[in-house]
Amino acid sequence: MTPYKAPLRDMRFQMNEVFDYPAHYASLPNGADATPDIVDAILEGAAELSEDILAPLNMSGDREGCHFTDGAVSTPAGFKEAYAQFVAGGWQGLSFPTEYGGQGLPASVSVFKSEMMGTANWSFNMYPGLSIGCINTLLQYGTEAQKSQYLPPLVSGQWTGTMCLTEAHCGTDLGQIRARAEPQPDGSFRVTGTKVFISSGEHDLAENIIHIVLARLPGAPAGTRGISLFIVPRMNVNADGSLGERNTVRCGSIEHKMGIRASATAVLNFEAAAASMIGEPNKGLEAMFTFMNTARIGTAIQGIAHAEASFQCALPYALERRSMRALSGKKEPEQAADALIWHPDVRRMLLTQKAIAEGGRAMIYGAAQLADKLFSAASDGVPARHEELEDTLGFYTPILKGFLTEMGLEAANLGMQVFGGHGYIPENGMEQIARDARIATLYEGTTGIQALDLLGRKVLLGSKGRCVREFTATMWRLSRKHLFAAGSIGKMARTLAARAIQWNLLTTRIMLRAGKDRELVGSASFDYLMYSGYVMMAYFWALQAARAAELSASGRGKDSKDFYRAKVQTAAFYFERILPRADAHRVGALAPAWTVMQIDKDHFALK
Ligand SMILES: Cc1cc2nc3c(=O)[nH]c(=O)nc-3n(C[C@H](O)[C@H](O)[C@H](O)COP(=O)(O)OP(=O)(O)OC[C@H]3O[C@@H](n4cnc5c(N)ncnc54)[C@H](O)[C@@H]3O)c2cc1C
């Protein structure tokens, strides 16, 4: 397997030259410390940990998996030491408030770190990754006492966190959960029930695990309006923060999974476990959405992580492995055959991977700037600005999570394909990347659920198409600048302008039809999500290409002309070869609902 190399060159291009992160940080109240030198040192440090410590444990972790013995879980060899290094480096606290021991940097700094660490070893990344949502939930909904009791060790990484939503009979439809919480005379609670598929639910990396658990109070209304949120520590915590006795939450087993095998996925049995409520009674699901939104953007990173990892392995293989001669004549006549990279179809696969990894990175970095602004608007106390940013990020989230994880899966599969049969055996690591990538479209809300969230909640009900109008206005502003440019930049600008109009028309047509056909939203949603993803990625590719062309022409760029030319060429590949898929999704999204609903459920398979 090719050793992982953090893609710092592309990351720096995007951060500094496309999104101007230095100016962005300078404009944030908590951005003063995120100077270019500091951010660069963080990138270098995260790259080193990812390349030297985490990546070498990726394959061994997959082979060994986690071990379960009598309720205890041990992680694969090397994970404990790597996690200790992660904690010692202060990596968990990068973007959390200084009052709880963090470094108070903007949230995006953590995104850059997570991208590298997750690409190096997604299983490892799951342990600190789940804590991020737990910390954010406590920050937003915890009482002062809860914050001071739980946040410092979570922020340092000494403890980790989980999200305990899923039960055996329900994952998507959390309105069905049965776990219950009994109030105690002292104001605390006792939680009873079983949660399944809990990532990092039990392990040996940290001395305590803080479970954030959804459960029902006695007499709570049925469905989603009767769910409350609780903190259940694995080890009880004394008022002074020291550890008390073991709480009655026990790991019943861990799953044997297709991928991310070094990440422990636990069945947790809560047996009247001591708990405290977080947030208001029966408003738990609302609070949990904070958790889920953070986690969803975190999972979107998984899409680009696996695309990048798979591309990094496939490219050197395509340069070295030889097969037949190029169609246009011998390219390496001194060799017995030409390298795979001379074959157009292999190039198609490599370019698709590259376009997904770098285009997805741009989408995430664009969204990460919004997240920074959102967090600072929350502390500014300007509710209107906060609401506006929340809506915009809320529109991005299902597209990022749904589209990028589907695309990551495609890229991971293409990497295997470049290796031919050698991709299908474990020695080269390609099948592991494909197995690890598979979960991303399932957890944190399946693609189908992201699609419903996008079309139903965010576009139709929540904004009556406003979020699409706003995003397409941004597309139009970019395309307008380059409409008459020569060559591929002008062509991309004109295509982008046409797509901006088309996206609005598509949305309006669905909106009009949805009023008459109740099934339409569900029937159109997946295609609408994918259409939106392809068009959004086109904007972010056009942005990169336009910037690369400008920097190359002006000579003011920090990178080489070859780098900028390759950017424009990859963007052109995206526009010519990948973006047209949006047309098929547009047709699918406009197809009437009867196309899926007319067949009788008993006629799917007639005996
Ligand atoms: C490795 C792993 C780690 C996980 N980690 C966690 C964790 O840390 N914490 C946690 O709480 N959970 C976790 N999960 C659970 C995960 O979030 C759920 O599996 C996921 O949300 C889907 O729920 P489900 O499996 O019950 O599928 P179901 O809800 O039964 O869905 C099955 C299928 O039906 C579709 N579907 C369901 N309802 C609708 C609808 N109304 N409209 C259209 N389509 C619908 C879904 O899209 C899906 O394709 C994890 C799961 C795995 C495998």
Side-chain angles (χ1 to χ4, degrees):
M1 192 177 189
T2 309
Y4 170 67
K5 201 92 198 98
L8 291 177
R9 200 168 170 184
D10 191 53
M11 292 174 76
R12 287 189 176 117
F13 163 68
Q14 300 215 19
M15 289 167 62
N16 300 324
E17 298 188 316
V18 178
F19 294 104
D20 198 357
Y21 264 92
H24 164 71
Y25 287 144
S27 73
L28 295 174
N30 64 339
D33 289 340
T35 60
D37 286 351
I38 299 261
V39 174
D40 215 55
I42 291 171
L43 291 187
E44 294 281 351
E48 199 179 309
L49 184 70
S50 305
E51 292 169 2
D52 299 346
I53 307 294
L54 304 183
L57 296 175
N58 193 36
M59 203 186 249
S60 57
D62 175 66
R63 289 196 178 160
E64 186 186 337
C66 293
H67 308 274
F68 174 78
T69 321
D70 294 337
V73 174
S74 51
T75 50
F79 270 53
K80 247 175 135 163
E81 295 75 11
Y83 189 74
Q85 263 184 269
F86 174 89
V87 174
W91 292 106
Q92 187 67 292
L94 272 188
S95 301
F96 291 119
T98 47
E99 61 185 303
Y100 300 111
Q103 291 157 59
L105 292 165
S108 53
V109 180
S110 250
V111 168
F112 308 139
K113 166 215 76 178
S114 296
E115 181 198 329
M116 288 185 267
M117 296 190 184
T119 311
N121 190 332
W122 192 266
S123 284
F124 177 89
N125 199 48
M126 291 287 288
Y127 295 97
L130 267 293
S131 296
I132 293 178
C134 172
I135 295 170
N136 281 335
T137 306
L138 280 161
L139 279 170
Q140 191 160 345
Y141 296 99
T143 60
E144 285 311 314
Q146 286 170 334
K147 288 183 193 174
S148 57
Q149 195 174 15
Y150 295 108
L151 281 175
L154 280 167
V155 167
S156 72
Q158 197 186 340
W159 299 353
T160 62
T162 70
M163 58 191 285
C164 299
L165 292 73
T166 307
E167 298 183 7
H169 62 288
C170 66
T172 301
D173 183 7
L174 295 170
Q176 294 187 53
I177 69 163
R178 293 177 189 147
R180 53 183 206 280
E182 290 292 335
Q184 304 299 302
D186 64 357
S188 70
F189 295 83
R190 293 266 164 194
V191 169
T192 301
T194 297
K195 297 284 178 181
V196 302
F197 292 154
I198 304 307
S199 299
S200 319
E202 182 63 48
H203 57 77
D204 57 357
L205 302 181
E207 61 191 27
N208 204 3
I209 303 175
I210 305 304
H211 305 292
I212 303 276
V213 186
L214 288 182
R216 288 183 184 287
L217 291 168
T224 51
R225 269 178 258 167
I227 298 174
S228 306
L229 197 56
F230 298 88
I231 303 171
V232 183
R234 175 174 68 172
M235 304 292 297
N236 286 316
V237 182
N238 300 320
D240 64 359
S242 60
L243 293 185
E245 69 220 24
R246 186 82 159 77
N247 200 357
T248 47
V249 46
R250 303 196 194 284
C251 177
S253 62
I254 54 172
E255 305 297 341
H256 297 280
K257 312 193 294 294
M258 173 183 182
I260 56 163
R261 288 181 179 160
S263 156
T265 308
V267 172
L268 291 182
N269 298 316
F270 295 84
E271 296 151 5
S276 59
M277 191 188 290
I278 178 164
E280 291 177 42
N282 301 330
K283 296 223 168 130
L285 211 53
E286 238 169 76
M288 196 48 123
F289 266 110
T290 323
F291 206 164
M292 290 199 276
N293 275 331
T294 339
R296 281 175 181 175
I297 295 191
T299 313
I301 298 176
Q302 193 176 357
I304 63 166
H306 293 306
E308 176 70 39
S310 185
F311 175 65
Q312 286 199 11
C313 296
L315 179 59
Y317 192 78
L319 288 165
E320 277 164 25
R321 173 111 177 146
R322 301 182 178 283
S323 175
M324 297 166 64
R325 290 295 179 189
L327 294 174
S328 54
K330 289 182 184 176
K331 300 296 177 197
E332 296 163 288
E334 70 290 358
Q335 302 287 350
D338 288 334
L340 294 178
I341 194 140
W342 290 109
H343 299 303
D345 190 54
V346 175
R347 286 173 166 247
R348 171 192 63 80
M349 294 192 273
L350 292 168
L351 277 167
T352 304
Q353 291 186 295
K354 182 173 163 64
I356 293 170
E358 295 175 16
R361 178 169 301 124
M363 288 167 76
I364 302 258
Y365 288 11
Q369 279 194 336
L370 288 173
D372 286 345
K373 289 179 189 162
L374 178 71
F375 284 120
S376 73
S379 51
D380 286 353
V382 185
R385 176 80 181 129
H386 185 259
E387 206 173 305
E388 186 191 316
L389 283 161
E390 203 163 47
D391 286 352
T392 312
L393 196 60
F395 169 65
Y396 270 67
T397 304
I399 301 178
L400 261 52
K401 163 53 172 95
F403 175 72
L404 289 183
T405 58
E406 291 287 340
M407 298 303 278
L409 201 50
E410 176 182 341
N413 268 323
L414 286 174
M416 234 168 106
Q417 197 72 12
V418 170
F419 272 71
H422 297 272
Y424 197 66
I425 55 174
E427 285 78 356
N428 293 306
M430 302 310 285
E431 56 85 50
Q432 184 193 341
I433 298 174
R435 284 189 285 103
D436 286 353
R438 188 64 190 87
I439 185 61
T441 70
L442 297 167
Y443 58 14
E444 300 306 341
T446 58
T447 307
I449 295 310
Q450 302 304 325
L452 279 178
D453 180 45
L454 174 70
L455 182 58
R457 255 169 51 106
K458 307 286 171 54
V459 173
L460 300 184
L461 284 179
S463 75
K464 307 254 180 312
R466 193 192 65 247
C467 47
V468 177
R469 289 193 292 280
E470 284 171 1
F471 189 81
T472 52
T474 312
M475 286 168 65
W476 170 243
R477 279 193 293 277
L478 174 68
S479 49
R480 198 175 51 189
K481 278 204 260 170
H482 305 281
L483 272 187
F484 304 108
S488 55
I489 299 291
K491 196 170 176 208
M492 283 182 230
R494 291 186 288 279
T495 306
L496 200 62
R499 291 287 181 187
I501 297 167
Q502 189 187 56
W503 195 355
N504 277 305
L505 284 177
L506 173 65
T507 306
T508 309
R509 285 177 73 181
I510 294 176
M511 209 172 334
L512 292 173
R513 291 180 187 190
K516 296 187 207 121
D517 181 352
R518 292 175 70 89
E519 302 283 11
L520 188 86
V521 173
S523 132
S525 54
F526 170 77
D527 280 310
Y528 186 83
L529 171 92
M530 295 305 285
Y531 174 93
S532 306
Y534 283 117
V535 175
M536 186 180 265
M537 191 179 262
Y539 165 76
F540 282 101
W541 261 117
L543 190 66
Q544 292 183 72
R547 200 67 194 116
E550 274 164 22
L551 291 166
S552 181
S554 68
R556 287 207 302 272
K558 292 201 175 78
D559 216 308
S560 68
K561 281 201 182 286
D562 287 345
F563 177 87
Y564 297 125
R565 191 178 309 114
K567 269 285 166 197
V568 176
Q569 290 168 339
T570 311
F573 169 82
Y574 181 83
F575 269 75
E576 298 291 333
R577 298 294 301 262
I578 300 185
L579 180 60
R581 298 180 191 179
D583 293 326
H585 287 295
R586 182 180 150 275
V587 173
L590 288 172
W594 63 256
T595 52
V596 287
M597 299 312 288
Q598 70 172 349
I599 184 167
D600 191 288
K601 77 176 171 52
D602 296 329
H603 298 172
F604 271 75
L606 289 169
K607 297 214 176 76

